[in-house]
């Protein structure tokens, strides 16, 4: 028998759950694009998007998903043949590096594997070795959504500075923006990208780029630049059509406005603390399950785990069995693995991911944890008993606290 009827929960790392107020804000006839509310609303998003990324510099918007923003970031700063350094901690870094290669960049990679974050010392070493300053940009993924590793963005900046290297610093924040603390200006990031359907709680279809003064200036000579992705007008628009290089994403803008309002009302510090605490509840449950079975949290050190996504592994094919059973019987869909094993191998069926980004709360997390435990029992998957209890205890211990801004490793590493 299935218990899935009711609201389905897509607990994957994007697209994330869309809040009802966001859906309702989008439900409207085509708005006037020449004058009035939509024009003001779009201009009004600019300062708020900067606040979310911790910057007072520039922001541009695109009708695009995250893949498009990879291209936007690269074409605005590079010329064909330029050398770049890409730090890899999972499949999303690999994807960005591939795009750079296809665009004609010369890509040097530093691969940190799938279980440990970027080591800034190795970045410093690679940049020191580049005595001619041929490397034009350093690319980093803040949270690699495939492995659920979170990288130290401030630490890599310090490594670039320690090497005295002038390369631009570009960061993929698609999985982390609006979920994890990100301080573009304080951390000296030159280019940051995000998409609407993850922490920003809006349907897929909009992408964002934040740009430093330095990147805007250095990028003027980039010969990879193409008319659609050119960020010059988009970061400095006067008319509505200049924001998007054409027709604006009308309904999306209303949805995004509502989502951003909800975020600012909750407060960024509270959002980051909520993500950290609820991620900690998942890890508390997983630690107990692991004690009596074969479950593995992909990132061993909690300090390096994302608060927006958790990658896990069971013995194959139990990852796939678990996901299928949850969808059919519990009304919950978990994320498929990406890049942990080739998709056509048996091994692939061991891995799975849980998305915990954006619009979600304790009852959703406890529902997923309880449902996973139910699946373990129903499918006879060996596991330590008491995962749900451990998550409950963890959240109970946090509930009395004032949720202070955290570098949530402090919040949830126990
Ligand atoms: C989701 C994601 C992307 C790709 O975004 P799409 O909107 O699926 O194209 C890129 N990088 C990271 C880190 C992501 O999580």
């Amino acid at each position: 028998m299935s218990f899935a009827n009711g609201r389905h929960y897509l607990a994957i790392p994007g697209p994330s759950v869309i809040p009802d107020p966001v859906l309702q804000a989008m439900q409207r006839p085509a708005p006037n694009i020449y004058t009035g509310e939509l024009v003001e609303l779009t201009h009004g998003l600019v300062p708020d998007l900067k606040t979310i990324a911790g910057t007072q510099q520039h922001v541009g918007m695109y009708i695009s998903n995250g893949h498009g923003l990879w291209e936007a970031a690269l074409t605005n700063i590079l010329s064909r043949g330029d050398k770049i350094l890409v730090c890899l901690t999972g499949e999303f870094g690999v994807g960005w590096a591939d795009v750079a290669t296809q665009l004609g960049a010369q890509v040097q990679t530093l691969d940190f594997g799938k279980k440990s974050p970027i080591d800034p010392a190795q970045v410093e070493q690679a940049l020191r070795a580049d005595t001619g300053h041929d490397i034009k940009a350093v690319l980093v993924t803040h949270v690699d959504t495939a492995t659920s590793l979170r990288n130290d963005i401030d630490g890599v900046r310090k490594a670039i500075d320690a090497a005295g290297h002038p390369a631009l610093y570009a960061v993929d924040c698609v999985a982390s923006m609006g979920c994890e603390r990100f301080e573009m200006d304080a951390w000296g990031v030159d280019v940051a990208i995000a998409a609407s359907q993850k922490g920003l709680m809006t349907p897929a279809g909009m992408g964002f780029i934040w740009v430093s003064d330095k990147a805007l200036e250095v990028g003027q000579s980039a010969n990879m630049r193409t008319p659609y992705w050119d960020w010059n007008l988009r970061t400095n628009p006067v008319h509505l059509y200049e924001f998007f290089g054409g027709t604006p994403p009308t309904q999306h803008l209303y949805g995004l406005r509502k989502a951003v309002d909800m975020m600012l009302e909750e407060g960024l510090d509270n959002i980051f603390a909520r993500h950290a605490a609820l991620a900690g509840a998942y890890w508390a449950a997983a630690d107990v399950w692991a004690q009596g079975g074969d479950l593995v949290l992909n990132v061993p050190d909690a300090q390096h785990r994302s608060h927006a996504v958790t990658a896990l592994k069971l013995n194959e094919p139990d990852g796939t069995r678990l996901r299928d059973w949850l969808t059919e019987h519990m009304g919950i869909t978990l994320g498929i693995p990406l890049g942990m094993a080739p998709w056509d191998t048996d091994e692939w069926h061991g891995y799975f991911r849980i998305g915990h980004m954006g619009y979600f709360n304790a009852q959703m997390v406890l529902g997923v944890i309880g449902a996973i435990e139910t699946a373990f029992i129903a499918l006879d998957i060996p596991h330590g008993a008491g995962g749900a209890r451990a998550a409950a205890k963890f959240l109970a211990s946090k509930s009395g606290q004032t949720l202070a801004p955290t570098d949530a490793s402090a919040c949830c590493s126990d």
Side-chain angles (χ1 to χ4, degrees):
M1 131 169 222
S2 169
F3 309 107
N5 206 12
R7 177 170 288 201
H8 194 90
Y9 180 15
L10 190 65
I12 73 174
S16 65
V17 174
I18 305 166
D20 286 345
V22 172
L23 290 170
Q24 283 152 12
M26 297 178 75
Q27 177 80 25
R28 63 178 64 237
N32 187 342
I33 62 167
Y34 303 128
T35 175
E37 191 177 63
L38 184 66
V39 179
E40 282 155 34
L41 180 155
T42 306
H43 281 279
L45 282 166
V46 169
D48 293 340
L49 288 169
K50 290 183 190 176
T51 298
I52 289 171
T55 185
Q56 300 193 337
Q57 300 182 77
H58 313 276
V59 67
M61 297 183 244
Y62 294 87
I63 297 178
S64 172
N65 62 16
H67 280 70
L69 268 291
W70 277 346
E71 198 161 322
L74 297 170
T75 54
N76 277 288
I77 59 173
L78 298 178
S79 293
R80 276 172 282 281
D82 275 355
K83 190 167 177 185
I84 62 171
L85 179 67
V86 188
C87 301
L88 304 179
T89 50
E91 192 64 12
F92 284 85
V94 172
W96 203 7
D98 279 351
V99 170
T101 302
Q102 289 181 51
L103 285 167
Q106 211 184 313
V107 176
Q108 178 184 340
T109 56
L110 276 177
D111 193 344
F112 298 92
K114 297 187 170 89
K115 290 186 169 284
S116 45
I118 294 170
D119 171 11
Q122 287 186 48
V123 177
E124 182 182 336
Q125 202 179 9
L127 291 175
R128 278 188 192 279
D130 178 39
T131 48
H133 292 171
D134 291 330
I135 294 172
K136 299 300 176 210
V138 177
L139 270 55
V140 166
T141 312
H142 187 196
V143 163
D144 198 300
T145 325
T147 54
S148 67
L149 278 160
R150 184 190 50 218
N151 289 306
D152 176 2
I153 301 306
D154 190 28
V156 172
R157 171 79 257 170
K158 290 186 172 124
I160 298 170
D161 290 345
H165 202 291
L168 292 172
Y169 183 23
V171 182
D172 175 347
C173 296
V174 178
S176 53
M177 191 63 76
C179 305
E180 320 240 13
R181 180 168 298 286
F182 179 75
E183 300 280 353
M184 169 151 168
D185 290 355
W187 296 347
V189 173
D190 292 301
V191 180
I193 58 168
S196 52
Q197 79 278 18
K198 300 196 181 180
L200 299 175
M201 309 187 294
T202 304
M206 284 186 72
F208 309 92
I209 198 156
W210 290 265
V211 185
S212 72
D213 295 328
K214 178 183 169 188
L216 211 53
E217 192 190 315
V218 172
Q220 290 315 316
S221 60
N223 78 15
M224 281 187 192
R225 179 177 279 116
T226 58
Y228 185 76
W229 297 112
D230 188 344
W231 66 24
N232 280 307
L233 210 48
R234 287 169 188 264
T235 55
N236 193 22
V238 177
H239 304 290
L240 186 60
Y241 72 89
E242 293 172 337
F243 273 98
F244 295 99
T247 306
T250 46
Q251 269 70 5
H252 268 72
L253 285 165
Y254 278 97
L256 180 67
R257 179 66 262 172
K258 177 51 86 174
V260 169
D261 284 345
M262 291 171 73
M263 292 175 73
L264 297 179
E265 196 176 317
E266 182 177 1
L268 293 177
D269 287 341
N270 289 321
I271 291 174
F272 302 147
R274 171 170 55 84
H275 280 75
L278 294 174
Y282 275 122
W283 306 339
D287 283 342
V288 171
W289 293 330
Q291 281 161 23
D294 302 306
L295 185 85
V296 178
L297 277 150
N298 182 57
V299 181
D301 186 341
Q303 294 206 36
H304 303 312
R305 287 183 199 144
S306 164
H307 304 143
V309 53
T310 299
L312 302 119
K313 184 185 182 303
L314 287 162
N315 280 343
E316 69 237 20
D318 286 345
T320 298
R321 286 175 76 220
L322 173 75
R323 286 190 301 99
D324 289 348
W325 196 88
L326 288 173
T327 296
E328 192 181 336
H329 295 270
M330 297 274 114
I332 291 167
T333 296
L334 301 184
I336 60 168
L338 282 177
M340 302 305 286
W343 66 269
D344 53 356
T345 58
D346 291 342
E347 198 194 345
W348 188 88
H349 295 279
Y351 296 96
F352 64 102
R353 295 176 299 158
I354 305 172
H356 31 94
M357 48 175 57
Y359 194 60
F360 76 112
N361 60 20
Q363 50 102 347
M364 296 159 84
V365 170
L366 293 170
V368 173
I369 289 170
I372 290 175
E373 221 162 88
T374 311
F376 285 162
I377 296 166
L379 297 173
D380 219 5
I381 294 173
H383 64 284
R389 173 87 185 160
K393 277 169 112 170
F394 180 83
L395 286 179
S397 77
K398 297 289 168 200
S399 66
Q401 290 180 4
T402 310
L403 290 185
T406 59
D407 159 51
S409 45
C411 162
C412 300
S413 56
D414 51 344

